[in-house]
């Protein structure tokens, strides 16, 4: 009897031991699986934080970066929701930052333009009071520099959503290019085309002037200082073409692709993404071209080895004028290009130059022993500067456009 009791106890013990072993093995397997899952989740989260989110942030900054996928398919759904939320938050923050930056810059540039206009009024008043040719030449140079400052402020304001800010009457295409030339530093290097009876309609004059000025400034700055910038017109079946050729080093494929995006108005208008310092020229031209319906390209090789910029003005932006006017700043031409106007009654008065300035008379011989330092090219043309002043005086007879609702100021 005792034997059977002992045997039963032994069998029960063996059964319990086997069951415990199986339970322990199952628990160990579960623990290992849970540990592996936790390790996978940790690695996936590390991959999300260290690789996927930074790549997504770079791609949201308009960079050609591919966002890697998840390592584990189980985490795809959850992490994709995280990425979507992150991208949405970044876009909202970026838009708020860009809007704030544009509003701040627009306000600042309006203040700068206002001060620049007041300065031009003061300079014009001084030009009316003084009859010394040297003083007038100095004032005209200051006026020219002020025009360049105003153009830069105007371009930045346009990039931030503002409008050009000036409204003009229809102007001959030659005068539009002349006005654009007068707003750049190296205006003496620009060879203007012959007079044309084709004119730009009133609403597009100032935008085209600003766009051509940016192209001329870019051509002059990126070509050797001893070369000229050639401007020519060409008739098209549905418009006119303004061609600007420089003798620079050209552009790389990457630069051409970036310029094409900006000139089409599809590139980024955020100044923070336009380089340091910001290169706003192409971006401003793209905004103006998209608003007013003309096209600009720089993907053609210039016959002088540099870049040919092409501005296509469709028929809708063109009209005809019987006699070319000068609604904008005229510009001094190199001596071989200057054509002296026929003196009128005032110009023919004694003591007056053909340009209308008082004729300077020497009262004593010049000091032959003093060394004469040649002045820069922009300081050797007082007669040309006088012609430039006459153009600026007529160009300032403009009226501001009617107020535009802020909701319509975005490019």
């Amino acid at each position: 009897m005792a034997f059977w009791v002992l045997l039963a106890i032994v069998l029960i013990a063996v059964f319990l031991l086997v069951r415990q072993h199986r339970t322990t093995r199952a628990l160990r397997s579960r623990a290992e699986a849970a540990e592996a899952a936790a390790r996978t989740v940790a690695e996936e989260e590390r991959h999300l934080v260290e690789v996927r989110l930074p790549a997504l942030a770079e791609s949201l900054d308009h960079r050609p970066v591919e966002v890697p996928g998840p390592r584990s398919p189980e985490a795809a759904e959850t992490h994709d929701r995280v990425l979507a939320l992150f991208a949405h938050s970044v876009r909202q923050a970026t838009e708020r930052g860009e809007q704030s930056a544009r509003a701040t810059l627009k306000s600042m540039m309006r203040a700068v333009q206002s001060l620049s206009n007041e300065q031009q009024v003061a300079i014009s008043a001084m030009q009316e009071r003084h009859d010394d040719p040297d003083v007038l030449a100095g004032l005209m140079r200051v006026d020219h520099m002020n025009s360049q400052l105003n153009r830069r402020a105007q371009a930045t304001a346009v990039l931030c959503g503002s409008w050009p800010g000036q409204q003009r009457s229809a102007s001959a295409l030659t005068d539009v290019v002349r006005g654009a030339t007068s707003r750049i530093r190296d205006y003496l290097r620009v060879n203007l085309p012959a007079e044309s009876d084709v004119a730009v309609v009133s609403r597009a004059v100032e935008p085209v002037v600003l766009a051509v000025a940016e192209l001329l400034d870019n051509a002059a700055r990126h070509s050797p200082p001893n070369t000229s910038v050639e401007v020519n017109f060409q008739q098209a079946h549905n418009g006119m073409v303004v061609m600007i050729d420089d003798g620079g080093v050209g552009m790389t494929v990457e630069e051409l692709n970036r310029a094409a995006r900006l000139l089409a108005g599809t590139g980024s208008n955020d100044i923070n993404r336009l380089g340091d310092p910001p290169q706003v020229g192409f971006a401003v031209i793209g905004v103006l071209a998209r608003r007013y319906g003309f096209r600009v390209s720089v993907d053609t090789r210039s016959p002088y080895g540099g870049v040919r910029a092409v501005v296509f003005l469709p028929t809708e932006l063109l009209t005809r004028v019987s006699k070319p006017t000068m609604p904008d700043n005229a510009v001094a031409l190199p001596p071989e290009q200057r054509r002296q106007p026929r003196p009128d009654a005032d110009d023919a008065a004694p003591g007056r130059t053909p340009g209308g300035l008082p004729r300077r008379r020497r009262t004593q011989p010049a000091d032959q022993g003093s060394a004469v330092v040649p002045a820069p090219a922009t300081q050797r043309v007082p007669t040309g500067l006088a012609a430039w002043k006459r153009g600026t005086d007529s160009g300032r007879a403009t009226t501001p456009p009617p107020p535009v609702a802020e909701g319509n100021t975005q490019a």
Side-chain angles (χ1 to χ4, degrees), residues 138-209:
L139 289 174
M140 292 171 193
R141 285 191 291 270
V142 174
D143 198 1
H144 181 218
M145 289 183 284
N146 189 65
S147 297
Q148 298 175 65
L149 172 64
N150 194 36
R151 173 180 64 86
R152 294 181 182 275
Q154 185 182 24
T156 305
V158 168
L159 188 62
C160 294
S162 183
W163 294 84
Q166 294 183 3
Q167 183 171 321
R168 305 182 184 279
S169 59
S171 303
L173 196 55
T174 307
D175 295 329
V176 168
V177 175
R178 183 180 292 115
T181 305
S182 69
R183 300 186 186 186
I184 70 171
R185 181 182 181 88
D186 297 321
Y187 65 95
L188 287 176
R189 292 172 51 196
V190 179
N191 291 334
L192 300 179
E195 297 289 342
S196 171
D197 62 345
V198 177
V200 180
V201 297
S202 175
R203 69 181 182 87
V205 170
E206 185 63 21
V208 174
V209 168

Side-chain angles (χ1 to χ4, degrees), residues 16 24 104 142 144 208 308 330:
L16 293 175
T24 303
T104 302
V142 174
H144 181 218
V208 174
R308 166 172 286 181

Side-chain angles (χ1 to χ4, degrees), residues 60-241:
L60 292 174
D61 197 28
H62 301 279
R63 298 179 184 178
V65 177
E66 182 180 356
V67 181
R71 293 180 176 179
S72 173
E74 293 79 7
E77 183 178 355
T78 303
H79 287 184
D80 285 346
R81 289 200 299 266
V82 173
L83 291 176
L85 179 61
F86 175 82
H88 180 67
S89 300
V90 170
R91 289 192 185 98
Q92 283 189 328
T94 302
E95 290 176 1
R96 287 195 298 267
E98 290 180 358
Q99 289 176 0
S100 177
R102 282 197 295 265
T104 302
L105 276 175
K106 187 194 301 186
S107 177
M108 293 175 60
M109 291 304 103
R110 283 176 175 172
V112 171
Q113 286 181 278
S114 177
L115 292 173
S116 176
N117 292 334
E118 292 179 10
Q119 184 169 273
Q120 281 188 334
V121 172
I123 294 172
S124 297
M126 294 179 65
Q127 290 171 339
E128 295 296 330
R129 291 198 306 268
H130 294 279
D131 57 2
D132 188 321
D134 292 336
V135 174
L136 288 175
L139 289 174
M140 292 171 193
R141 285 191 291 270
V142 174
D143 198 1
H144 181 218
M145 289 183 284
N146 189 65
S147 297
Q148 298 175 65
L149 172 64
N150 194 36
R151 173 180 64 86
R152 294 181 182 275
Q154 185 182 24
T156 305
V158 168
L159 188 62
C160 294
S162 183
W163 294 84
Q166 294 183 3
Q167 183 171 321
R168 305 182 184 279
S169 59
S171 303
L173 196 55
T174 307
D175 295 329
V176 168
V177 175
R178 183 180 292 115
T181 305
S182 69
R183 300 186 186 186
I184 70 171
R185 181 182 181 88
D186 297 321
Y187 65 95
L188 287 176
R189 292 172 51 196
V190 179
N191 291 334
L192 300 179
E195 297 289 342
S196 171
D197 62 345
V198 177
V200 180
V201 297
S202 175
R203 69 181 182 87
V205 170
E206 185 63 21
V208 174
V209 168
L210 183 56
V212 173
E214 292 294 334
L215 292 173
L216 290 174
D217 181 67
N218 188 71
R221 286 188 294 106
H222 290 87
S223 58
N226 59 338
T227 61
S228 62
V229 177
E230 301 290 336
V231 182
N232 293 287
F233 301 147
Q234 182 172 323
Q235 182 77 43
H237 76 281
N238 57 347
M240 283 288 292
V241 171

